[in-house]
């Protein structure tokens, strides 16, 4: 039997308790931000949002506040003067944390979870599956010896015949995705790990209306967390180019939700011509954000160490599901699976004992804003602190650990009504008329929306603007 690693609980780094919001102070401190800037942050809007047993509202607004403050800090560096005020509207945060649920494409609601994705009762408990992509569905059914046309009822009968961890390990061996629902266990996974690599000088940044204007970001991410990070960097002016393999399918509804402000292309890194194009893009990049499981990009020479060697001064932000150490480090994972595996599903269980979920894919969205914040802070730190490249590491499990054991619950302060329609707007796109959530990040005088809608997935030229 393979068990998830149990890491002894540790004392988190002390937060600045003079801040009105300890969670924001902790996140900002983890990113290396100057504590004095926390006074620029304020919160308003409805308190009774993202209700859960765990302090999801506090995590959500803290990650958005840290990202907004990082953008304000970089803006002040480029343009001079004081760091702008950072007012955070909790209604906007709550709406954006479920942006995929508010999205409408010509009036149609997007597909979020496929029929074979979800919680299933097993012989001794529960298991959570993820079969949204066709290849993940095919691998899951193959692992269980089921035909390709299996319906949910038949899958449910099969899963009830086996122990949860047997299903989990059989799926893992087949490259499928299933995680046994586990009880909460304290961990000491970090919220973010940051290290400086080398002493390469970085180019100065001129005055600009947006903090990340003129900066180039290679986006090697999929699904929610990584794309939310790069969508946010695009909001603040970065030229973000997402690169996907033509060998992997993409859920275009998900791309519509997270593709605002960005461009998207496809390159096969196993082909010499496409690889040459990618190396040209890398040579002009200021940051690379990756969201594949550990080791998946190494075969293509895209390990962080190699990227930083070929491009000194680069900012590399890596995201994975389970962290970089331990027997689960190389496993695939998504927000829903991590919630099941670290005990969140048990904490949020209903009265009938069925596993529960957070009111949002909060690990995904929260980690996405922390990644964007880390990249923005690294760009500032390179120019005000020590030069050199930056290597940032994040994991969904690390964010989950913070939510479970590090975020202080705060009681609601008022009963101001929450209407998500306040933060949902319409725009035209190549996919049709979109209704979408506004970005929750920002600062006084900052951008309120993206400058462009999502384009068709994978159809942009692989060049920098």
């Amino acid at each position: 039997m393979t068990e998830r690693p149990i890491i002894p609980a540790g004392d988190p780094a002390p937060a600045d308790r003079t801040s009105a919001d300890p969670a924001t102070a902790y996140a900002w401190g983890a990113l290396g931000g100057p504590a004095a800037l926390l006074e620029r942050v304020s919160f308003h809007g409805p308190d009774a949002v993202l209700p859960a047993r765990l302090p999801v509202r506090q995590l959500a607004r803290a990650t958005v506040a840290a990202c907004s403050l990082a953008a304000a800090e970089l803006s002040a560096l480029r343009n001079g003067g004081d760091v702008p005020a950072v007012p955070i509207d909790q209604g906007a945060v709550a709406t954006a944390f479920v942006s995929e649920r508010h999205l409408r494409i010509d009036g149609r609601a997007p597909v979020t979870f496929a029929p074979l994705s979800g919680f299933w009762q097993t012989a001794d408990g529960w298991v959570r599956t993820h079969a949204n992509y066709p290849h993940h569905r095919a691998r899951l059914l193959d692992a269980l010896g089921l035909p390709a046309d299996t319906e949910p009822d038949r899958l449910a009968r099969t899963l009830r015949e086996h122990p949860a961890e047997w299903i989990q390990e059989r799926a893992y061996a087949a490259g499928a995705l299933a995680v046994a629902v586990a009880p909460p266990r304290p961990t000491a996974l970090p919220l973010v790990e940051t290290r400086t690599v080398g002493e390469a000088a970085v180019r100065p940044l001129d005055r600009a209306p947006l903090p990340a204007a003129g900066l180039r970001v290679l986006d090697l991410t999929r699904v929610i967390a990584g794309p939310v990070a790069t969508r946010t960097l695009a909001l603040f002016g970065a030229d973000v180019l997402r690169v996907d393999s033509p060998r992997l399918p993409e859920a275009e509804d998900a791309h519509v939700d997270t593709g605002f402000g960005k461009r998207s292309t496809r390159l096969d890194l196993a082909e010499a011509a496409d690889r040459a194009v990618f190396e040209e893009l890398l040579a002009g990049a200021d940051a690379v954000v990756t969201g594949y499981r550990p080791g998946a990009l190494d075969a293509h020479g895209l390990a962080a160490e190699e990227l930083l060697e070929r491009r000194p001064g680069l900012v590399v932000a890596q995201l994975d599901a389970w962290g970089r150490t331990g027997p689960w480090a190389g496993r695939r994972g998504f927000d829903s699976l991590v919630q099941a595996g670290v005990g969140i599903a048990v904490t949020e269980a209903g009265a009938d004992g069925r596993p529960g979920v957070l009111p949002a894919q909060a690990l995904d969205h929260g980690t996405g804003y922390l990644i964007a914040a880390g990249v923005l802070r690294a760009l500032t730190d390179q120019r005000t602190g020590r030069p050199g490249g930056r290597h940032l590491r994040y994991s969904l499990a690390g964010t989950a650990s913070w939510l479970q054991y590090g975020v202080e619950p705060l009681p609601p302060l008022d009963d101001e009504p929450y209407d998500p329609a306040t933060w949902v707007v319409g725009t035209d796109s190549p996919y049709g008329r979109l209704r979408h959530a506004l970005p929750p990040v920002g600062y006084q005088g900052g951008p309120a929306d993206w400058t462009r809608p999502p384009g068709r997935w994978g159809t942009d030229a692989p060049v920098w603007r």
Side-chain angles (χ1 to χ4, degrees):
M1 181 190 302
T2 302
E3 292 188 349
R4 231 164 269 101
I6 300 176
I7 305 171
D11 239 6
D16 176 7
R17 296 293 170 176
T18 63
S19 168
D21 183 52
T24 301
Y26 184 89
W28 184 243
L31 296 164
L37 294 185
L38 287 165
E39 66 181 14
R40 310 303 295 157
V41 178
S42 61
F43 298 96
H44 63 280
D47 288 318
V49 294
L50 301 174
R53 292 190 177 94
L54 290 168
V56 178
R57 172 176 68 101
Q58 286 75 31
L59 175 141
R61 72 179 200 171
T63 58
V64 168
C67 184
S68 301
L69 188 55
E73 179 190 32
L74 183 57
S75 179
L77 172 68
R78 298 189 71 162
N79 297 306
D82 294 334
V83 172
V86 177
I88 302 298
D89 192 309
Q90 294 182 121
V93 172
T95 305
F97 261 62
V98 290
S99 61
E100 63 274 13
R101 299 181 202 168
H102 292 295
L103 180 66
R104 295 294 181 271
I105 306 169
D106 279 338
R108 175 182 64 83
V111 176
T112 52
F113 284 101
L116 300 192
S117 296
F119 289 112
W120 309 87
Q121 204 156 16
T122 67
D124 62 349
W126 294 85
V127 71
R128 176 95 196 206
T129 61
H130 195 290
N132 286 3
Y133 287 103
H135 57 296
H136 289 157
R137 173 192 163 96
R139 290 172 187 170
L140 177 65
L141 296 177
D142 186 60
L144 298 171
L146 294 171
D149 61 352
T150 294
E151 295 294 330
D153 286 350
R154 181 169 181 183
L155 176 64
R157 290 195 300 272
T158 299
L159 293 177
R160 278 197 297 268
E161 297 171 357
H162 302 286
E165 289 203 11
W166 181 91
I167 297 164
Q168 169 186 283
E169 296 308 310
R170 194 167 180 88
Y172 169 60
L177 290 153
V179 170
V181 173
R185 289 181 285 189
T187 71
L189 290 171
L191 191 59
V192 58
E193 296 175 275
T194 304
R195 66 186 182 97
T196 299
V197 180
E199 298 182 354
V202 292
R203 61 189 177 92
L205 297 177
D206 299 328
R207 293 178 66 89
L210 294 174
L215 295 164
R216 295 167 170 175
V217 178
L218 271 178
D219 177 2
L220 308 181
T221 69
R222 294 167 65 80
V223 195
I224 297 179
V228 163
T230 51
R231 177 182 74 180
T232 303
L233 293 172
L235 172 75
F236 291 127
D239 181 10
V240 178
L241 180 63
R242 175 171 162 174
V243 180
D244 284 282
S245 167
R247 302 169 188 246
L248 285 176
E250 175 57 304
E252 293 209 43
D253 283 357
H255 167 69
V256 172
D257 179 47
T258 60
F260 284 89
K262 303 188 286 191
R263 294 177 299 122
S264 167
T265 194
R266 283 178 276 185
L267 294 173
D268 188 342
L269 299 185
E271 298 291 334
D274 280 6
R275 184 52 189 257
V277 172
F278 180 85
E279 291 297 327
E280 283 188 33
L281 292 170
L282 177 62
D286 298 285
V288 176
V289 182
T290 72
Y292 292 79
R293 64 187 171 87
L297 296 175
D298 294 9
H300 298 289
L302 301 180
E305 294 75 13
E306 294 181 77
L307 292 172
L308 287 159
E309 183 177 337
R310 298 207 300 278
R311 180 77 169 84
L314 191 68
V315 176
V316 179
Q318 290 182 303
L319 165 70
D320 62 75
W322 302 101
R324 295 267 156 178
T325 59
W328 278 63
R331 297 197 178 201
R332 297 174 176 87
F334 295 97
D335 182 308
S336 58
L337 299 180
V338 173
Q339 287 191 42
V342 303
I344 290 174
V346 171
T347 300
E348 299 291 339
D352 60 357
R354 181 180 177 83
V357 297
L358 299 177
Q361 300 278 86
L363 308 182
D364 266 333
H365 286 271
T367 307
Y369 292 116
L370 289 172
I371 293 169
V375 171
L376 293 167
R377 278 246 66 252
L379 294 168
T380 296
D381 194 53
Q382 286 176 321
R383 290 157 179 84
T384 59
R386 180 180 169 185
R390 294 294 189 275
H391 182 193
L392 315 175
R393 286 178 173 173
Y394 302 81
S395 71
L396 299 181
T399 302
S401 177
W402 182 47
L403 172 64
Q404 291 173 287
Y405 309 109
V407 179
E408 266 188 39
L410 297 175
L413 300 178
D414 60 50
D415 57 357
E416 181 178 337
Y418 166 54
D419 181 4
T422 305
W423 299 280
V424 177
V425 298
T427 189
D428 293 318
S429 80
Y431 286 93
R433 182 69 177 172
L434 305 181
R435 291 282 294 172
H436 68 92
L438 286 167
V441 289
Y443 52 88
Q444 200 166 60
D449 200 354
W450 291 276
T451 58
R452 53 176 288 164
R456 287 280 175 184
W457 175 70
T459 60
D460 289 297
V463 296
W464 295 118
R465 284 202 296 253

